[in-house]
Amino acid sequence: MPLFGRKKKEPEVVVAEPEAPQLPPPPPTDERGWRSMEDHRDYLLDQVHQLPAFGQQILDALDLSICEDIESDVDLPGFDNSAMDGYAVHFGDTLGATEDAPVTLAVMGEIAAGDWSEEPLPPGTAIKIMTGAPIPPGADAVVPYEATDRGTEDVLVFAAAREGQHIRRRGEDVSAGDVMMRSGARVGARDVGLLAAIGVDKVMVRPRPRVVVLATGSELVEPGLALSNPAQLYDSNSYLLAAAARAEGAQVFRVGLVGDDAEAIKQAISDQLVRADLIITTGGVSQGDYDVVKAVMPELGLTDFCEVAMQPGKPQGFGLIGEDRVPMIMLPGNPVSAYISFEAFVRPVIRKMMGVEPLFRPQVRAIATHLLRSVPGKKQFARGLVTTDPAGRRSVTAVGGHGSHLVSSMARANALIVMDPDVDHVPAGSHVPVWMLDEVS
């Protein structure tokens, strides 16, 4: 039968559903299902990126990571100038001068800092000169006021000058083309002074990461308020983590407390996404019935919860939250666990975002002053106090017990004692690795 007057059936077009975004495959685990601390740290670092560079005034660039090599366009000093208040002279005209037999030189005038003249200094004369003023052509020494009678028409010189005496030579500090700062260096106060000295007013740097800190738990109370019952606790974690992040150079927003309510936690996190480069939470990531963070965060983004072979700090969580996939690191709720987790995981992430090296705390070796015990199978972190003797030998003493709730010992410590999973004890007098948290004088 002819098909005239009938519509030809169009072929069916099948549109493939886009693949749902996923986190990269997690690192391997041991027979217990635990990750090593190093593998989990590297996993987090792989998920975050350095923040884009931007131009910043040098004073506002303090403590930020510079993203360009800075070369000087000028010499420092830019001209030969006087290092003293005194008289510019030909050094040969002062030979033989003493207190008893001074040399008399005619004074040709005065040069102040900022003055400039191409007129040479005649032999047998002197010219009064101030610190920082340019050396006139022909002069090759400066006699300080202390070695003269400070004359205005004629000056008596009481001590012979050496050639080049008290003259700062052009380029003796910096030559044009010298590299002043390398990309990746952190801008310090003295760097700001150097940049200004070579005429640089703005540099390319990575910004401070905007870090949001939030503590969860219905038992928590803000410091300064009254505890309504003996089971309540003052929130120390959000203050501790906010301070630690700020100490690393981050711009910190401490949100405060959120109770163990799923909707409240979701709303609090959602509200922060607009201003966060990184979100840190503490509490709610373990196996308890009220660990709400672990239960609700998958609704807001890609999440990964795991157990790490470390003590304290075993339960850990990570997520990429919201449409912009803001990284979120979810830490355990015990104060010491939260802080050691910050040192192990959050601090390196913040430093990578800022482009600051090294990412990790310096690890050194110290002599244990007493027997140290550890739990086999876990990387153990103990709070320690490191001292240095006159010969430069470091010793370390454990501070407080192993409990992850012992906040006072954490405040007294200046180091973390690190014992690997295959270590069950360290004898007194043996060396042990430590992460230095503070400088030891």
Side-chain angles (χ1 to χ4, degrees):
M1 185 176 189
L3 296 177
F4 180 79
R6 295 172 61 187
K7 287 187 177 180
K8 185 178 181 181
K9 186 177 181 180
E10 295 292 337
E12 185 177 352
V13 177
V14 178
V15 179
E17 290 288 333
E19 288 189 13
Q22 294 181 338
L23 286 172
T29 59
D30 61 19
E31 65 280 1
R32 300 164 297 185
W34 298 355
R35 297 176 190 172
S36 73
M37 185 277 289
E38 292 81 3
D39 282 349
H40 185 61
R41 180 182 64 193
D42 292 344
Y43 180 68
L44 299 186
L45 288 171
D46 285 344
Q47 310 311 310
V48 299
H49 308 283
Q50 292 182 341
L51 297 177
F54 74 117
Q56 185 70 285
Q57 295 293 324
I58 55 175
L59 196 56
D60 296 324
L62 184 66
D63 286 336
L64 299 182
S65 175
I66 200 164
C67 301
E68 57 182 335
D69 291 347
I70 302 293
E71 293 185 3
S72 178
D73 292 332
V74 300
D75 295 326
L76 286 182
F79 50 89
D80 292 353
N81 67 86
S82 178
M84 302 282 285
D85 294 331
Y87 296 84
V89 299
H90 295 268
F91 90 97
D93 292 337
T94 68
L95 296 179
T98 66
E99 290 279 351
D100 297 329
V103 170
T104 302
L105 300 174
V107 178
M108 303 301 294
E110 180 176 308
I111 306 175
D115 290 344
W116 187 261
S117 174
E118 301 288 346
E119 186 175 347
L121 180 70
T125 66
I127 190 167
K128 188 180 288 188
I129 193 167
M130 302 297 109
T131 300
I135 301 295
D140 53 15
V142 172
V143 178
Y145 277 151
E146 298 89 323
T148 72
D149 69 346
R150 302 185 67 153
T152 55
E153 295 185 2
D154 294 299
V155 62
L156 297 180
V157 178
F158 300 116
R162 303 182 312 278
E163 185 175 11
Q165 174 179 288
H166 302 313
I167 294 178
R168 302 164 175 161
R169 295 298 183 186
R170 175 175 180 167
E172 70 178 21
D173 185 12
V174 173
S175 295
D178 286 351
V179 177
M180 298 291 96
M181 294 192 73
R182 294 284 186 187
S183 179
R186 202 164 187 173
V187 180
R190 293 180 294 278
D191 298 317
V192 171
L194 174 61
L195 293 170
I198 62 172
V200 173
D201 67 332
K202 182 182 290 187
V203 289
M204 294 296 293
V205 292
R206 300 198 188 280
R208 304 178 191 279
R210 298 166 300 170
V211 176
V212 169
V213 178
L214 183 148
T216 66
S218 298
E219 76 278 14
L220 299 177
V221 175
E222 282 283 356
L225 302 180
L227 300 176
S228 62
N229 69 65
Q232 290 188 320
L233 304 171
Y234 286 119
D235 167 40
S236 62
N237 284 8
S238 68
Y239 285 91
L240 169 64
L241 297 173
R246 185 176 295 176
E248 291 305 319
Q251 181 182 2
V252 178
F253 304 98
R254 179 190 163 271
V255 174
L257 306 177
V258 181
D260 294 319
D261 177 88
E263 292 304 317
I265 290 174
K266 286 193 292 184
Q267 188 63 53
I269 297 298
S270 298
D271 289 346
Q272 298 305 315
L273 294 175
V274 68
R275 65 172 179 178
D277 296 309
L278 174 67
I279 298 174
I280 306 170
T281 65
T282 173
V285 296
S286 191
Q287 304 293 335
D289 293 341
Y290 293 94
D291 287 328
V292 183
V293 171
K294 188 173 182 179
V296 304
M297 289 317 300
E299 299 177 31
L300 297 184
L302 308 175
T303 56
D304 171 78
F305 294 94
C306 67
E307 294 181 324
V308 177
M310 62 186 284
Q311 185 179 11
K314 179 182 170 186
Q316 297 290 331
F318 174 74
L320 294 175
I321 307 302
E323 293 183 0
D324 294 331
R325 303 183 73 181
V326 175
M328 177 173 170
I329 301 178
M330 293 161 272
L331 307 179
N334 281 314
V336 179
S337 299
Y339 178 70
I340 290 176
S341 298
F342 178 94
E343 286 293 325
F345 306 123
V346 182
R347 182 179 183 271
V349 164
I350 290 175
R351 292 175 74 83
K352 180 175 180 179
M353 286 179 154
M354 293 182 68
V356 175
E357 295 284 349
L359 296 181
F360 313 132
R361 287 283 186 192
Q363 180 170 292
V364 299
R365 295 179 67 80
I367 300 170
T369 61
H370 57 97
L371 174 66
L372 300 172
R373 296 193 182 277
S374 183
V375 178
K378 298 179 182 178
K379 184 181 282 286
Q380 183 83 37
F381 292 92
R383 287 134 280 175
L385 184 63
V386 172
T387 57
T388 305
D389 67 16
R393 291 185 295 265
R394 295 186 183 91
S395 298
V396 62
T397 302
V399 179
H402 289 297
S404 55
H405 62 293
L406 302 175
V407 180
S408 63
S409 60
M410 183 174 63
R412 297 198 306 272
N414 63 6
L416 294 177
I417 303 169
V418 184
M419 290 174 279
D420 286 333
D422 58 350
V423 173
D424 61 3
H425 74 284
V426 176
S430 298
H431 282 89
V432 64
V434 298
W435 288 359
M436 294 305 306
L437 305 176
D438 301 318
E439 294 292 332
V440 179
S441 58

